[in-house]
Amino acid sequence: MDRVPCIAGNWKMNKNITEALQLVEEMLPRLSELSGVERVVCPPFIALPAVAERLKDEDVFVGSQNVHWKEAGAFTGEISPTMLQDLCTFAIIGHSERRAYFGETDETVNLRVRAALDHGLRPIVCVGETLEQREAGQTIDVVSTQVSQGFADISKEDFRRVIVAYEPIWAIGTGKAATPEDANETIVASIRPVLTSMFGEDIAQATRIQYGGSVKSGNAAEFFQQPDIDGALVGGASLRADDFIAIVKAARG
Ligand code: PGA
């Protein structure tokens, strides 16, 4: 199955507007020219309009780091899908930092995914186990449940626009990546089979599944050699132009 790899840079709470534009400038035009891989940058909300404007004629997509499920209303601090739909192509949803620090659950992830899809956004949905869960042998259960609940009540047609990011939580920002074989095995054991039962074999096989967690220019290629890993969601290394470009290049094979 030919799946176009996708490399998304999650800048997290880093870079003000000026710094975000500087980083974009540093990556262009090299980033624009690396066809064959979908490239996405996800700056903080405040920098989205400036970055989207700068990238509008470039072959690089913009994504948000979250999206609320309501179009408007009394939800202090949230950003709605209607506010994002003209700025972004992608929206990261259910990142483990949102789940761990901001009370995000599989139910709210599901609401956000459905709202994003209803507004034409392409969700990048994060799933993954903690170290405790891994050591207790619960990885398959935990990840399968995140997938089945996170993608409940979504039509096959809409699901085609979803990317899944498998991010073992213990590997995020720790410098301690999962082994590529382990990551591939978890995807094969707990993500594709659940997608098959929900959306059918064809869609499950066509779905892009990224790996995330301490991906660097030095280890990226090993992940992309795995048959079920279709790119990466990159945190720390996406803040450095040369590293991010090297990771995109590694995904071209
Ligand atoms: P990291 O973050 O690459 O800094 O480990 C990955 C992520 O949180 O998506």
Side-chain angles (χ1 to χ4, degrees), residues 11 15-32 40-43 47-48 50-56 58 60-62 238-241 244-245:
W11 296 5
K15 307 288 179 193
N16 62 26
I17 299 170
T18 307
E19 292 164 342
L21 285 172
Q22 277 165 357
L23 179 55
V24 166
E25 232 37 82
E26 220 183 315
M27 293 194 286
L28 292 173
R30 288 177 292 168
L31 191 58
S32 243
V40 187
V41 293
C42 305
L48 282 175
V51 169
E53 173 64 23
R54 179 62 187 91
L55 292 178
K56 70 176 192 299
E58 304 285 344
V60 178
F61 294 107
V62 177
S238 72
L239 298 169
R240 297 182 295 271
F244 191 63
I245 284 162

Side-chain angles (χ1 to χ4, degrees), residues 10 12 95-97 126 167 171-175 212-216 233-237:
N10 173 10
K12 306 192 181 181
H95 190 278
S96 63
E97 287 148 17
C126 307
E167 302 204 300
I172 296 177
T174 57
S214 297
V215 175
K216 308 274 177 260
L233 182 56
V234 185

Side-chain angles (χ1 to χ4, degrees), residues 65-166:
Q65 296 176 17
N66 200 0
V67 53
H68 196 264
W69 55 91
K70 293 279 196 191
E71 294 194 341
F75 301 102
T76 304
E78 290 287 326
I79 305 283
S80 83
T82 46
M83 296 169 183
L84 293 171
Q85 67 191 155
D86 296 331
L87 292 174
C88 297
T89 307
F90 289 88
I92 298 173
I93 296 174
H95 190 278
S96 63
E97 287 148 17
R98 300 295 320 169
R99 294 179 190 254
Y101 309 144
F102 302 100
E104 204 75 62
T105 63
D106 290 334
E107 288 68 35
T108 56
V109 167
N110 180 250
L111 289 169
R112 291 181 201 270
V113 174
R114 285 161 46 200
L117 288 167
D118 286 347
H119 291 82
L121 292 162
R122 293 163 61 180
I124 298 177
V125 184
C126 307
V127 297
E129 79 287 0
T130 62
L131 187 56
E132 220 175 21
Q133 291 163 336
R134 167 158 282 238
E135 286 173 347
Q138 294 166 349
T139 301
I140 294 185
D141 271 4
V142 168
V143 175
S144 305
T145 304
Q146 289 171 336
V147 173
S148 60
Q149 296 190 0
F151 298 138
D153 301 318
I154 293 173
S155 72
K156 289 185 182 184
E157 211 35 61
D158 279 347
F159 188 77
R160 289 180 195 279
R161 283 185 283 130
V162 172
I163 292 180
V164 183
Y166 169 58

